[in-house]
Amino acid sequence: MSALAGIPAPRVPILFKAACPDCRGRFELAAGALRLAIGASRRTTFYSFTCPGCGAAVRKPAGERIVELLTGGGVRTLRLHSTV
């Protein structure tokens, strides 16, 4: 039996690869630097971040796989509700 049994392993921060369409920079961002908005359709489901290189507000579409990865990685999520 290990002396460390029952002690949780330290969490390794998850980094997400992102690119800025303005400055064309490529970065690794922590979950706290990203936001995910889930809407009723593909058009209203996206993730966003502020480019660490140029400061631009970046918004990109998020398909099912990206939503799964971001939510699983601890990215804050906002669920958009229809007013209809």
Side-chain angles (χ1 to χ4, degrees):
M1 190 178 268
S2 169
L4 298 177
I7 298 174
R11 289 186 141 187
V12 177
I14 296 173
L15 297 176
F16 297 94
K17 292 183 180 185
C20 175
D22 289 352
C23 71
R24 299 193 181 266
R26 295 191 177 277
F27 309 96
E28 288 187 343
L29 301 173
L34 296 157
R35 298 292 175 270
L36 174 63
I38 300 176
S41 70
R42 285 178 157 181
R43 279 183 81 188
T44 58
T45 300
F46 60 90
Y47 66 98
S48 62
F49 60 92
T50 300
C51 176
C54 70
V58 179
R59 178 175 160 164
K60 294 188 173 189
E64 286 182 33
R65 180 69 178 140
I66 291 176
V67 169
E68 182 181 316
L69 291 170
L70 294 178
T71 55
V75 172
R76 270 191 260 175
T77 302
L78 172 66
R79 296 204 181 267
L80 305 175
H81 296 281
S82 173
T83 57
V84 178

